[in-house]
């Protein structure tokens, strides 16, 4: 099964994030938009994983995050990776709570390394992906048309992390939450 570790977003927020990208859909060609039900924040992509390994993964993550307390993060403005001038990924950034997300991601990375999952070489930058752009494109002018004021400052409570299974289908990926690991109160 194909797995990743992330944070589930409230359903209403997923739809807000999807709707704010509406002005860009006609302007950005060769772009694959994340469907509203799939919008989330990824902490660690695991990739193809043997089914039998799931319990080990859950145990490792439970141990890694047992001292983390619930927190919240707030959404910020829209941007692009690797840059707004040559964007391949359109995202919403995180302001408050970014350091907690980085620490959480680091703890998960380190806990899974002994199970054979490579530690990412690039530093983790918390974000929520809205779209993947096939040909690097400037989003600078288009992003100004997005009603970012509708998302900036919105808060997401993080009560735990979720292990998702990703199924690739001809119509696009489908994500299913298969385990939830709570944080301390």
């Amino acid at each position: 099964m194909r797995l990743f570790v992330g944070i589930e977003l409230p359903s209403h927020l997923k739809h807000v994030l999807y709707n704010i990208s509406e002005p860009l859909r006609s302007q950005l060609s060769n772009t694959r938009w994340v469907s509203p039900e799939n919008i989330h924040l990824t902490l660690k992509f695991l990739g193809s994983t043997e089914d039998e390994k799931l319990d080990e993964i859950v145990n490792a993550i439970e141990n890694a995050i047992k001292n983390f307390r619930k927190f919240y993060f707030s959404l910020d403005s829209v941007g692009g990776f690797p840059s707004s001038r040559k964007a391949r990924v359109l995202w919403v950034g995180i302001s408050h709570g970014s350091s907690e997300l980085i620490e959480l991601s680091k703890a998960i990375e380190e806990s899974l390394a002994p199970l054979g999952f490579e530690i990412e070489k690039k530093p983790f930058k918390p974000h929520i992906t809205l779209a993947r752009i096939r040909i690097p494109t400037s989003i600078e002018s288009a992003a100004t048309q997005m009603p970012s004021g509708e998302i900036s400052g919105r808060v997401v409570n993080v009560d735990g992390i979720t292990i998702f299974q990703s199924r690739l289908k001809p119509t696009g990926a489908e994500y299913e939450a298969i385990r939830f690991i709570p944080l301390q109160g």
Side-chain angles (χ1 to χ4, degrees):
M1 68 184 132
R2 191 169 185 257
L3 301 176
F4 66 91
V5 181
I7 295 173
E8 181 84 71
L9 302 180
S11 181
H12 70 278
L13 184 57
K14 292 178 182 183
H15 288 282
V16 169
L17 291 170
Y18 185 77
N19 290 337
I20 65 152
S21 60
E22 180 68 36
L24 293 182
R25 291 206 187 104
S26 60
Q27 296 178 38
L28 296 176
S29 58
N30 293 315
T31 299
R32 190 166 30 107
W33 296 92
V34 178
S35 62
E37 62 273 6
N38 284 346
I39 295 175
H40 65 278
L41 188 147
T42 300
L43 293 168
K44 170 75 177 162
F45 181 74
L46 305 179
S48 185
T49 306
E50 299 166 8
D51 293 4
E52 308 79 53
K53 224 170 183 173
L54 180 60
D55 288 339
E56 282 182 274
I57 292 168
V58 171
N59 289 337
I61 293 174
E62 283 176 339
N63 284 331
I65 68 169
K66 65 184 174 191
N67 293 325
F68 281 82
R69 304 193 71 74
K70 295 177 182 176
F71 64 98
Y72 72 92
F73 63 83
S74 56
L75 303 182
D76 201 359
S77 57
V78 175
F81 286 137
S83 71
S84 293
R85 290 185 185 164
K86 293 184 178 180
R88 299 220 31 154
V89 174
L90 176 69
W91 49 258
V92 173
I94 307 299
S95 54
H96 179 86
S98 186
S99 60
E100 288 90 343
L101 290 167
I102 291 169
E103 288 302 313
L104 195 57
S105 172
K106 182 179 175 187
I108 292 168
E109 286 263 7
E110 291 173 353
S111 75
L112 296 177
L115 300 180
F117 295 99
E118 281 189 41
I119 291 179
E120 296 291 328
K121 292 176 179 62
K122 293 181 181 176
F124 177 71
K125 184 171 181 175
H127 68 278
I128 298 168
T129 298
L130 297 180
R132 291 176 179 80
I133 305 165
R134 291 184 182 95
I135 299 169
T137 304
S138 174
I139 61 163
E140 289 179 327
S141 64
T144 62
Q145 298 172 29
M146 292 179 69
S148 298
E150 291 184 31
I151 56 166
S152 184
R154 284 190 183 245
V155 169
V156 175
N157 292 314
V158 181
D159 298 330
I161 61 113
T162 302
I163 298 176
F164 293 91
Q165 181 174 4
S166 171
R167 292 186 180 96
L168 300 177
K169 299 195 169 190
T171 54
E174 289 182 5
Y175 303 151
E176 177 186 1
I178 58 172
R179 294 286 174 96
F180 178 77
I181 303 172
L183 295 177
Q184 296 296 314

